[in-house]
Amino acid sequence: MITKNKLDKPFGPVGTSAGIFMFIAGIVVTFYSFTGLILVFIGAFVGFTSTSTMIDNDKKRIKFSNNLFGFIKTGQWIDIYQK
């Protein structure tokens, strides 16, 4: 059984709010100019990136991950051994 724990946002609450605002503004600006896509990508990265941990009790391992754009999980599993 894998337990998933969402920890926090790396840019804090103000950075997350600003990122979501940039994302929405980028979508609106994209209708007029394709340079608005830059705002969309930066806003999505800052607004939706988060950190989490996953604990696998069956295989006795843990994983700290950064969730880029909210869905791309980075990190590696670390085995836990009792000494």
Side-chain angles (χ1 to χ4, degrees):
M1 179 173 87
I2 295 178
T3 306
K4 297 178 183 177
N5 299 311
K6 189 171 181 182
L7 296 177
D8 61 350
K9 302 282 187 172
F11 300 105
V14 175
T16 301
S17 300
I20 293 172
F21 178 75
M22 283 177 59
F23 179 74
I24 294 170
I27 291 173
V28 172
V29 171
T30 303
F31 290 116
Y32 302 106
S33 173
F34 286 115
T35 57
L37 290 175
I38 295 170
L39 285 178
V40 170
F41 288 123
I42 293 173
F45 180 76
V46 173
F48 301 120
T49 298
S50 64
T51 58
S52 64
T53 59
M54 291 184 275
I55 303 169
D56 189 354
N57 293 324
D58 297 331
K59 295 182 181 178
K60 295 184 177 162
R61 59 187 186 161
I62 60 172
K63 179 180 183 179
F64 174 80
S65 75
N66 290 311
N67 307 324
L68 305 176
F69 297 101
F71 64 91
I72 302 171
K73 296 182 185 334
T74 61
Q76 60 185 356
W77 287 100
I78 301 171
D79 293 327
I80 300 173
Y81 298 107
Q82 185 177 10
K83 291 185 179 184

